[in-house]
Amino acid sequence: MPSARHGKPPSLYQRTLQVAGEYRCPVCAGESVAASQAPEAVEIRQLVEHWLQQGDSQATIRSFLVHDYGLSILERPPASGVSVLVWALPVVAAALAITGLSLGFVRWRRATLPEAEPDGRGR
């Protein structure tokens, strides 16, 4: 934010956009509340601006929005509980698949190699 670099505190509008950028638009795919022009996102931005004017902290605003919309409103959901499994299970599954394929290829290669005869020549 240009004005914050020069020692001036960010304006209410800039703070609103910064805070609103931490939340997903509840009706748009892949847009933050700060970027979306959907009526629901505009309403949330207005609420955020109102709460900031009242002096509410970002933690308080977060608790209001999570209470009303659930954890899906967060751009960066907390990494705990079941949400960790959502991220960890695909990684574990991919690692197991790669290991299984590697072992399968090693066994397949051993099975297709010609056996050496006692004099050192292949069949």
Side-chain angles (χ1 to χ4, degrees):
M1 292 176 206
S3 62
R5 281 188 235 144
H6 300 293
K8 298 179 190 173
S11 68
L12 178 60
Y13 175 75
Q14 290 170 325
R15 288 185 10 222
T16 299
L17 288 182
Q18 177 196 8
V19 173
E22 297 176 11
Y23 303 99
R24 291 183 182 153
C25 173
V27 295
C28 309
E31 278 193 285
S32 72
V33 168
S36 175
Q37 294 302 316
E40 292 84 352
V42 172
E43 181 181 352
I44 292 172
R45 276 198 308 270
Q46 290 171 346
L47 285 171
V48 167
E49 182 177 13
H50 174 74
W51 290 328
L52 288 172
Q53 278 180 329
Q54 287 183 333
D56 289 329
S57 69
Q58 288 187 11
T60 303
I61 293 169
R62 177 185 172 114
S63 69
F64 289 151
L65 291 173
V66 168
H67 178 266
D68 289 345
Y69 294 95
L71 287 174
S72 64
I73 191 85
L74 300 175
E75 281 284 353
R76 285 181 246 119
S80 63
V82 176
S83 62
V84 169
L85 291 177
V86 170
W87 293 101
L89 284 179
V91 172
V92 171
L96 290 174
I98 291 170
T99 302
L101 285 171
S102 298
L103 290 173
F105 285 133
V106 167
R107 287 184 181 170
W108 175 70
R109 181 169 167 92
R110 284 185 187 158
T112 59
L113 285 177
E115 293 181 23
E117 294 200 11
D119 62 1
R121 294 180 294 149
R123 287 189 181 169

